């Protein structure tokens, strides 16, 4: 079992910055990926950014050049640095962790409780 604890959400003005953190604990396997999803009212949850244990990252087109995902494997923590925030970034942001013990094992998925990010003037 893996537990995810998120922090860093809040209220920020357009053009401002926030840094989200997500710490994973429990039975962590080396083969894993962590990322951030977001969900606005009335919309489906969407991938924002993700990074694998070997450092490969990908981003949604809407956040490329503004957001940066990183991870500290020693701390089992993933970060999302969000710069030049826009009102359309307003959503609940969810940390996600998936892992498998062996390359041939099935993936196990875990979700954080979500943290609110509001971008408003």
């Amino acid at each position: 079992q893996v537990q995810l604890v998120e922090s860093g959400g809040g209220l920020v003005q357009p053009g401002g910055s926030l840094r989200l953190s997500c710490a994973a604990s429990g039975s962590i396997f080396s083969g894993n990926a962590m990322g951030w999803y977001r969900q606005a009212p009335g919309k489906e949850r969407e991938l924002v950014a993700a990074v694998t244990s070997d450092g490969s990252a990908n981003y949604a087109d809407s956040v490329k050049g503004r957001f940066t995902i990183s991870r500290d494997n020693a701390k089992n923590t993933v970060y999302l640095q969000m710069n030049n925030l826009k009102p359309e970034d307003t959503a609940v942001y969810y940390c996600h962790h998936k892992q498998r013990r062996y390359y041939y094992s099935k993936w196990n998925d875990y979700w954080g409780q979500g943290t609110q990010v509001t971008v408003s003037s």
Side-chain angles (χ1 to χ4, degrees), residues 99-115:
Q99 65 176 24
R100 58 186 183 184
R101 185 171 184 178
Y102 307 107
Y103 74 94
Y104 52 81
S105 300
K106 70 179 182 68
W107 291 101
N108 295 314
D109 293 276
Y110 304 90
W111 293 92
Q113 79 285 352
T115 183

Side-chain angles (χ1 to χ4, degrees), residues 39-96:
Q39 188 168 26
K43 300 180 66 176
E44 294 185 356
R45 187 173 299 186
E46 64 174 347
L47 174 68
V48 178
V51 59
T52 63
S53 53
D54 62 5
S56 179
N58 64 283
Y59 299 87
D61 288 341
S62 60
V63 307
K64 288 180 179 177
R66 300 188 297 120
F67 292 8
T68 302
I69 190 168
S70 62
R71 62 185 294 164
D72 185 335
N73 289 337
K75 298 180 179 179
N76 291 317
T77 299
V78 65
Y79 307 93
L80 185 67
Q81 179 66 46
M82 303 184 292
N83 297 327
N84 192 24
L85 283 160
K86 303 175 180 180
E88 51 263 43
D89 295 318
T90 296
V92 177
Y93 284 69
Y94 296 91
C95 181
H96 174 252

Side-chain angles (χ1 to χ4, degrees), residues 10-18 85 117-121:
L11 175 65
V12 66
Q13 296 184 83
S17 298
L18 284 174
L85 283 160
V117 172
T118 302
V119 184
S120 177
S121 60

Side-chain angles (χ1 to χ4, degrees), residues 3-7 21-25 36 77-78 95 111-113:
Q3 296 79 44
L4 304 175
V5 179
E6 301 153 323
S7 63
S21 299
C22 175
S25 62
W36 293 92
T77 299
V78 65
C95 181
W111 293 92
Q113 79 285 352

